[in-house]
Amino acid sequence: MSPHRTADLGFARLDLDRAERTGTPEVVYAAGKTPAQTVACLAALLDDGAALAWATRVDAATTAAILERWPDAVLDPEARCAFVGELPTPVGSVLVLTAGTSDGPVAAEVAATLAASGVGCRRVDDVGVAGVHRVLAVAPEVAAADVVVVVAGMDGALPSVVAGLTDRLVVAVPTSVGYGAAFEGLAALLTMLTACAPGVLVVNIDNGFGAGVAAARIARSAQGRAAQR
């Protein structure tokens, strides 16, 4: 079987072998697509034998279209994700921290991506540096995780603090939360990229999906090494 098969839908060419090559399947980015196009993409993935097909950045109209086609689909309104099929049994442990409650939607996308990737996740919200004792209180959970994902807007300082508490990789996600000088997440992105604590991996602004995929791959690798011991 070729590892480069595609499903040509006219408006999209779906990569049917991405999961085999990379461990992460083709995922439908619904923003910019019509509800009918998103449904067609999900259907093509399922028709090819995928146990789970999922879409990110799903709006209300697309949610309705998915539920009309698959009434048993799982929808996560906070994460703006939709899942059709069976979620895998989770392995590993990823801790997802948010600096503030307003970062919740991006953290939810991280958590949803981890669930669809078959990786366990625990989420702790509102532990930002304005009250640094809050993140210190969860230091034992930070130490126990395979990977830590830190989601933060405003000044974006939390990942550097967390990276100074653990030997685990910290995946930092800047969000577009903040006042004018935050420049819709640019300030947080630059802070994270210039973190003085080593061991911080930074993804793009509001990219909960990318952070979830990165954390899932690291967690699965850690579990695989543990199983070989």
Side-chain angles (χ1 to χ4, degrees):
M1 181 180 294
S2 168
H4 304 292
R5 295 178 304 126
T6 60
D8 189 350
L9 306 183
F11 62 89
R13 290 172 57 83
L14 300 177
D15 184 351
L16 299 177
D17 295 314
R18 187 174 298 175
E20 182 180 349
R21 293 195 318 273
T22 71
T24 303
E26 174 89 272
V27 176
V28 182
Y29 181 70
K33 293 183 176 66
T34 67
Q37 287 174 333
T38 298
V39 167
C41 288
L42 292 171
L45 293 171
L46 293 168
D47 288 345
D48 187 61
L52 175 70
W54 94 82
T56 65
R57 303 301 168 99
V58 174
D59 61 17
T62 302
T63 294
I66 290 171
L67 286 174
E68 182 178 0
R69 177 69 180 270
W70 298 284
D72 59 346
V74 176
L75 282 300
D76 187 330
E78 185 184 21
R80 293 180 293 168
C81 291
F83 306 97
V84 184
E86 294 293 327
L87 288 168
T89 302
V91 298
S93 174
V94 175
L95 180 65
V96 179
L97 303 177
T98 69
T101 308
S102 297
D103 301 309
V106 178
E109 187 176 52
V110 176
T113 301
L114 288 166
S117 301
V119 174
C121 170
R122 171 164 163 67
R123 181 173 152 188
V124 179
D125 290 327
D126 199 20
V127 293
V129 298
V132 72
H133 59 285
R134 298 176 298 185
V135 71
L136 295 176
V138 297
E141 295 177 68
V142 170
D146 294 319
V147 191
V148 183
V149 179
V150 180
V151 185
M154 296 286 189
D155 57 11
L158 184 59
S160 189
V161 173
V162 174
L165 298 174
T166 181
D167 64 349
R168 302 300 193 260
L169 179 70
V170 173
V171 180
V173 191
T175 72
S176 50
V177 171
Y179 297 104
F183 295 108
E184 298 184 333
L186 180 59
L189 172 64
L190 294 176
T191 297
M192 293 174 183
L193 287 171
T194 55
C196 63
V200 178
L201 179 155
V202 186
V203 300
N204 209 345
I205 298 167
D206 292 336
N207 188 8
F209 171 75
V213 169
R217 291 183 181 183
I218 295 163
R220 287 198 300 260
S221 294
Q223 291 298 308
R225 288 194 299 272
Q228 290 173 1
R229 294 189 185 123

